[in-house]
Every structure is written in structure tokens, then in C-alpha cells.
Amino acid sequence: MSKVYDRVMKCLECVRARTDFVPKVALVLGSGLGDYGKEIRVEQTLSYHDIEGFPVSTVPGHHGQFIFGYVGEVPVVCMQGRVHYYEGYSMEDVVLPVRLMKMMGAEIFFLTNAAGGVNETYNAGDFMMITDQISQFVPSPLVGPNPEEFGTRFPDMSEIYDEKLRDVLREAAGELNITLHEGTYVQTSGPNFESPAEINFLRTIGADAVGMSTAVEAIAANHMGMRICGISFIANPAAGLSDNPLTHEEVQAAADAASARFKKLVTVAIKKMGNEN
Ligand code: HPA
């Protein structure tokens, strides 16, 4: 048994000692979007602290618990708070939660994040469906001995974000009259925001939104064969595109202001995912 697999299975044992809930959708809530938990018919919560060996986030505004429950009739496990590479965690730690949620039974991985708008047509407060990603500025979470139990050594990444789930997100946004951009997300290491020159560079290589999470989690999920979708909340124009310096407080305030629309979008989308198999 590989070391990584063994570690995930030990976490799974801790979870299974407390709940036998089997989720269909695994949802990750990004910065400032953590209060989505209130939209869930909660069956049970489980603090990350209660899972032996589980990485616990240090970022203000990130809670640290799994919520098990239902959105409509769809069983969901929701991560209220994720851990980031910039906190000093290894990539193995960063992707442990998604591996664990897959072992709980989740088939669909729904990522959300707060991001900077690199695309000059985006405004703060917009949403972007992630259609592809650039992760080359951070180490791959698959570096190291390959945990064969999860997937193959050299996994294909030509369609990380599932075509059918993209249709689901488009439909949900359409029904709610919410504009949903479609674009490429780039993950930087953080914790510093980017310089204007870096943002110009990222735009030149094809990025539309930039953030400090998500892409590596999507790689680990794709490695395991999960179906993936993602939405970036555009919290601010990226560096150089506005006169104001960037702050984490601004990101959180923007996310709070958009949270009602965001919640509706996620709820309608998840209900539709109930029909996906
Ligand atoms: N850059 C990187 N990450 C972010 C940003 C940004 O401008 N906004 C929110 N997360």
C-alpha cells in the first residue's frame, strides 16, 4: 500500500467512526464564501481537528470543518475552509482533503474560489466558470511515488473540467440571469498578490483569472477520475488593473457582497447535478 493512500485511509477511518454519510458531490468553499453551509440541510459536521493527520487551515475567514448534508435531494460533503500551499503545507497535505472526499464516495468535485480578474473585461463581483487551468507555477501534487491506488503515473489533463458539468453550470446561471464568464484559471503560489508585470505575463499566456488554490486540487481529483467543475468569484481586478492596492479584506468584503448570488448559483447547479450519473 502506498504511504499517501495509507494516510488517506487512516483519515477515512476517523470519518467513518463518526458518520456513514456517502456524498455524491464534494464542494469546496473559497475565501469569504464559507457561509454557504447555511444553504445545506445539515446531517452532521465534522471538525478537521477531529480527523487525525488532517491539515487545518490558518487563514482568517476559513472555517475548518466538513459539512455533510443535502442540497435539494443531492448528498453533499462541503469543505468549509481549505488549506493552501502558501501556509507552508506540502502539496500532499493540500490535496489530502479531495482524496479523502473521493474515498467517502464523492463522484463530482465542485471547486469555488475567490480570484483576481486578469481578463480586462471582467469586473469585481463577476463569476467565471473555469474551463481550463495553468498550474505550472506551483509544484504538481503528484510529484513523488505515485499512489497507484488513486490513479496512473502520467494522467491525462486534456479535459480537467467536465464538459457536461460545464453545461450544468451554464444552465444554472442562465436560469438565474447571472452572467457567467468562461475562462482559464492560473494558480500562483501566493501569499503575496502578483505584480502588474506578472499579471501582464499571465494574461499573455492565456489566463483570465488568478488565485492561490484550486488548480492542484483539480489535478489530484482528475488523477482519481473525479468529474470536476469550478467557479471563480472575481473579487478584484488583478494588480495593475485598478488604482487600489490589493488587500485580503477587500477580497473578503467583495465575496460577502456577492454571496447571495453565489449561493443561488451553487444551489441550482448542485440540484441539477443530482441528475448526472
Ligand atoms: N491574485 C491572487 N489571488 C487572489 C486575488 C488576486 O488578485 N484575488 C483573490 N485571490
Side-chain angles (χ1 to χ4, degrees):
M1 199 190 290
S2 77
K3 235 178 86 217
V4 170
Y5 182 76
D6 188 42
R7 184 173 170 209
V8 174
M9 294 313 279
K10 288 213 166 84
C11 290
L12 184 66
E13 262 172 49
C14 283
V15 172
R16 286 290 169 244
R18 289 178 164 84
T19 177
D20 54 9
F21 192 91
V22 176
K24 173 169 180 140
V25 176
L27 173 68
V28 180
L29 301 174
S31 242
L33 304 173
D35 74 338
Y36 184 75
K38 297 197 189 103
E39 307 299 303
I40 298 174
R41 210 162 72 241
V42 178
E43 290 272 306
Q44 199 163 339
T45 60
L46 178 56
S47 166
Y48 298 157
H49 290 284
D50 293 333
I51 305 171
E52 226 181 287
F54 195 90
V56 179
S57 174
T58 59
V59 185
H62 280 253
H63 305 264
Q65 61 175 8
F66 283 118
I67 301 172
F68 300 95
Y70 293 87
V71 175
E73 298 307 312
V74 183
V76 172
V77 57
C78 173
M79 280 190 79
Q80 207 168 25
R82 54 150 66 92
V83 293
H84 302 82
Y85 184 58
Y86 63 72
E87 293 176 74
Y89 290 103
S90 67
M91 283 301 182
E92 183 188 313
D93 283 339
V94 171
V95 301
L96 183 140
V98 61
R99 287 174 164 158
L100 177 57
M101 293 190 290
K102 159 83 169 156
M103 299 319 285
M104 292 176 198
E107 300 153 13
I108 292 176
F109 188 36
F110 191 167
L111 283 151
T112 70
N113 60 53
V118 175
N119 186 313
E120 285 164 306
T121 69
Y122 294 179
N123 295 308
D126 288 353
F127 295 106
M128 184 193 87
M129 175 170 79
I130 306 174
T131 55
D132 204 350
Q133 68 180 33
I134 298 169
S135 67
Q136 296 297 327
F137 302 110
V138 288
S140 168
L142 306 182
V143 168
N146 184 50
E148 290 291 332
E149 297 89 342
F150 290 129
T152 181
R153 172 77 286 189
F154 299 108
D156 175 66
M157 293 282 152
S158 51
E159 190 194 307
I160 298 175
Y161 295 90
D162 185 88
E163 281 285 359
K164 277 176 71 191
L165 294 178
R166 286 190 227 173
D167 286 341
V168 166
L169 294 185
R170 277 187 204 108
E171 268 175 44
E175 282 172 25
L176 293 164
N177 251 322
I178 291 174
T179 302
L180 189 60
H181 300 298
E182 301 192 11
T184 296
Y185 177 92
V186 59
Q187 178 168 356
T188 55
S189 76
N192 52 291
F193 290 113
E194 304 71 33
S195 71
E198 285 165 343
I199 293 301
N200 281 333
F201 166 67
L202 295 174
R203 186 181 311 108
T204 304
I205 63 168
D208 297 292
V210 59
M212 306 172 191
S213 66
T214 299
V216 294
E217 294 152 81
I219 288 174
N222 194 50
H223 180 233
M224 293 183 290
M226 294 179 88
R227 296 177 62 198
I228 304 164
C229 64
I231 300 176
S232 287
F233 168 67
I234 306 299
N236 54 275
L241 299 179
S242 120
D243 296 333
N244 308 329
L246 296 173
T247 65
H248 182 62
E249 288 67 31
E250 175 195 350
V251 170
Q252 273 192 311
D256 287 345
S259 82
R261 279 185 311 139
F262 171 76
K263 283 181 205 165
K264 281 191 203 144
L265 180 56
V266 171
T267 297
V268 172
I270 291 178
K271 285 180 181 167
K272 287 178 185 292
M273 287 173 196
N275 303 324
E276 291 288 311
N277 44 34

